[in-house]
């Protein structure tokens, strides 16, 4: 395993910390997954790609990662509140389906879109409805600690009592007194002792679709409860990394910390990681603003705000070109630039895989070229070690690509690097693109075979000096996004950038 130089920005401490896992080489990582009541959108893509990349890089470093990402299929109410209708149940009523039909449908489409984005499947993907007994036991444990109370069949977490021993708000920086003074006694919160208390278990009305027997009557779990129950079951009372979007920091993750301390007397996670938000043309994404774009709409280009379709790998590349803790603004201009950058990276991948070292004792080693390559390799890994800075790592990959392209075009001979450095340059580029960043070439199954046939015809008509036909073939391929490259010793092609 690589010597530990990795630093992670811990939201809890608000600083970068050396990554020191609890039980190396094992790493436990829990990431909040989707509430499955609609198609996946841009807001789902960013955490999925962010923590897929974290998983990939930790694996590259030699860690054995258990990556748990949940599916929320009950308990997430409208407005992320303790009152109101379950999001999945509401969708089920609208579509005249069973709630589990809705959950299954959108779990399947989420998986489809995550596969298109080339994310690795999590090690475990638990569902909230599959862990009701664990959640009931967790509620009972909190009651036994004296940090919860039951009212009319509902159980609430007593935040003020918890705060006598622990600090509620330490993750998000919220001050309890300010939360108290800023709270209003909304309808349905009258049974709480304090408005800041949150639901652990909710009494279900007769018309409520999703409900279970419990010691407190028929009801359903609170939204925050599932993650504590499932993370502790599969990763232990304390694990290494808890991830999710910044919008989950409060109240969801704050409540998870409170539940973990109440039951297990320790914070659930050592490191808390949060990806920042996505905006569209400078505005927050929202259905009411008309800028809510699903991933399928992006892939097909079927949305009023889109000038064209953008492939899954273009989306993945674009997300990786910004540090995960920075805001990310989607616009057609930015996506077109990402499309060009992605094609440049993939053209380089094809070239790196095709290059072979040509030994030639007459070519002296070039210390300057060697130093530049080694510096780019070192800098790319250093960027990833600095809180997974994919944006900087990609910049250093482009420096490597310049050297790879120079060998490809004959401007540099492979011998100037020596075999070891040349092979290290190529392998680093390939590993970064495919294994760490998770980018892949998007092509149809028969594309290469058809291109081989077309380029053979192109070669024949060029040899015959039929230049009208040469231009016709080049033009037709360019319309398909393919550029013919006439090399000194061969004819090749690349994606048009």
């Amino acid at each position: 395993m690589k010597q530990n130089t990795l630093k992670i920005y811990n939201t809890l401490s608000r600083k970068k910390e050396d990554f020191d896992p609890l039980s190396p080489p094992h790493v436990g990582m829990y990431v909040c997954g989707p509430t499955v009541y609609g198609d996946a959108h841009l807001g789902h893509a960013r955490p999925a790609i962010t923590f897929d990349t974290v998983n990939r890089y930790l694996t590259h470093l030699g860690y054995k990662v258990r990556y748990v990402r949940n599916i929320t299929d009950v308990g997430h109410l409208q407005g992320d509140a303790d009152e109101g209708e379950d999001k999945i149940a509401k969708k089920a009523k609208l579509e005249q389906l069973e709630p589990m039909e809705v959950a299954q449908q959108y779990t399947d489409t989420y998986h489809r879109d995550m596969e298109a984005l080339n994310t690795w499947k999590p090690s475990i993907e638990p569902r909230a409805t599959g862990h009701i007994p664990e959640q009931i036991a967790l509620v009972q444990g909190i009651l036994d600690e004296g940090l919860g109370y039951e009212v009319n069949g509902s159980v609430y977490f007593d935040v003020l009592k918890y705060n006598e021993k622990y600090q509620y708000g330490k993750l998000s920086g919220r001050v309890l007194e300010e939360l108290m003074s800023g709270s209003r006694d909304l309808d349905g919160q009258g049974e709480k002792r304090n408005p800041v208390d949150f639901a652990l278990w909710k009494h279900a009305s007769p018309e409520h679709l999703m409900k279970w027997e419990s010691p407190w009557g028929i009801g359903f779990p609170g939204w925050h409860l599932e993650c504590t129950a499932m993370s502790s079951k599969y990763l232990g009372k304390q694990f290494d990394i808890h991830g999710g979007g910044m919008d989950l920091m409060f109240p969801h993750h704050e409540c998870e910390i409170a539940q973990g301390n109440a039951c297990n007397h320790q914070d659930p996670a050592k490191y808390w990681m949060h990806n920042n938000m996505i905006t569209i043309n400078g505005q927050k994404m929202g259905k009411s603003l008309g800028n809510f774009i699903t991933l399928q709409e992006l892939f097909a280009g079927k949305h009023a705000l889109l000038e064209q379709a953008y492939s899954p790998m273009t989306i993945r590349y674009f997300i990786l070109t910004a540090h995960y803790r920075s805001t990310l603004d989607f616009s057609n201009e930015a996506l077109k630039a990402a499309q060009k950058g992605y094609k440049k990276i993939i053209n380089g991948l094809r070239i790196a895989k095709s290059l072979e070292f040509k030994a030639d004792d007459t070519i002296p080693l070039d210390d300057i070229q060697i130093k530049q390559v080694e510096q780019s390799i070192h800098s790319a890994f250093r960027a990833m070690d600095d809180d997974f800075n994919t944006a900087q790592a990609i910049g250093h990959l482009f420096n490597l690509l310049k050297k790879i392209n120079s060998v490809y075009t004959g401007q540099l001979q492979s011998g100037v690097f020596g075999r070891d450095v040349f092979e290290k340059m190529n392998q680093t580029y390939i590993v970064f693109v495919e294994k760490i960043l998770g980018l892949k070439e998007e092509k149809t199954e028969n594309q290469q075979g058809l291109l081989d046939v077309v380029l053979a015809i192109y070669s024949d008509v060029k040899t015959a000096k039929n230049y009208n036909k040469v231009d016709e073939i080049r033009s037709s391929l360019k319309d398909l996004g393919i550029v013919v490259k006439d090399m000194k010793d061969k004819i090749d092609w690349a994606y048009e950038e």
Side-chain angles (χ1 to χ4, degrees), residues 388-408:
F388 307 97
N389 196 328
T390 55
Q392 286 188 6
I394 287 171
H396 297 303
L397 278 191
F398 275 116
N399 289 334
L400 278 185
L401 181 54
K402 290 176 184 176
K403 302 298 183 186
I404 291 169
N405 280 331
S406 293
V407 175
Y408 173 65

Side-chain angles (χ1 to χ4, degrees), residues 79 106 122 141 284-285 321 329 430 437 443 464:
Y106 291 113
K284 183 180 178 181
M285 185 175 70
T321 57
D329 186 55
I430 293 168
L437 299 180
K443 62 180 180 180

Side-chain angles (χ1 to χ4, degrees), residues 247-478:
D247 57 323
L248 297 177
M249 190 189 308
F250 185 88
H252 187 55
H253 291 164
E254 199 74 73
C255 293
E256 280 189 64
I257 289 177
Q259 291 167 164
N261 277 306
C263 263
N264 303 322
H265 310 293
Q266 57 187 322
D267 284 354
K270 188 173 181 181
Y271 305 92
W272 289 82
M273 295 179 65
H274 293 90
N275 62 274
N276 213 322
M277 296 294 97
I278 282 173
T279 56
I280 299 179
N281 297 321
Q283 284 188 311
K284 183 180 178 181
M285 185 175 70
K287 289 182 179 178
S288 61
L289 296 172
N291 64 357
F292 184 87
I293 305 177
T294 69
L295 292 175
Q296 285 298 308
E297 287 172 334
L298 264 173
F299 301 159
K302 293 182 178 179
H303 190 282
L305 291 176
L306 299 175
E307 295 176 5
Q308 63 175 71
Y310 299 100
S311 74
M313 286 299 98
T314 297
I315 301 302
R316 183 177 182 108
Y317 175 83
F318 179 60
I319 287 174
L320 293 172
T321 57
H323 190 276
Y324 75 89
R325 286 191 290 111
S326 65
T327 55
L328 183 61
D329 186 55
F330 273 75
S331 66
N332 282 283
E333 293 73 20
L335 287 169
K336 287 175 184 175
Q339 185 179 56
K340 185 174 181 179
Y342 159 71
K343 288 181 177 179
K344 196 182 292 280
I345 286 281
I346 294 302
N347 283 331
L349 180 66
R350 292 183 59 252
I351 291 169
K353 287 183 173 182
S354 70
L355 290 183
E356 294 181 359
F357 181 75
K358 296 178 181 177
D360 189 340
D361 294 337
T362 65
I363 300 174
L365 295 177
D366 189 323
D367 291 338
I368 293 177
Q369 297 293 338
I370 290 172
K371 185 177 180 180
Q372 289 174 346
V373 167
E374 290 180 334
Q375 183 61 43
S376 294
I377 292 171
H378 173 73
S379 297
F381 281 108
R382 189 174 60 189
M384 291 301 294
D385 286 340
D386 185 14
D387 194 30
F388 307 97
N389 196 328
T390 55
Q392 286 188 6
I394 287 171
H396 297 303
L397 278 191
F398 275 116
N399 289 334
L400 278 185
L401 181 54
K402 290 176 184 176
K403 302 298 183 186
I404 291 169
N405 280 331
S406 293
V407 175
Y408 173 65
T409 59
Q411 290 177 284
L412 285 175
Q413 299 297 314
S414 58
V416 303
F417 303 107
R419 181 184 294 275
D420 289 347
V421 174
F422 173 79
E423 291 180 351
K424 187 178 180 182
M425 173 179 71
N426 275 17
Q427 280 305 113
T428 299
Y429 186 86
I430 293 168
V431 165
F432 249 97
V433 173
E434 292 188 321
K435 302 298 184 183
I436 297 174
L437 299 180
L439 297 168
K440 65 180 182 179
E441 185 176 358
E442 293 176 314
K443 62 180 180 180
T444 60
E445 188 176 339
N446 298 320
Q447 177 177 302
Q448 187 60 56
L450 290 171
L451 273 171
D452 289 343
V453 172
V454 173
L455 291 181
I457 296 170
Y458 176 87
S459 178
D460 290 342
V461 297
K462 186 179 179 185
T463 301
K465 298 183 179 181
N466 186 348
Y467 297 119
N468 287 335
K469 195 65 176 177
V470 166
D471 292 341
E472 183 183 329
I473 294 173
R474 291 181 72 93
S475 178
S476 296
L477 287 174
K478 191 172 183 180

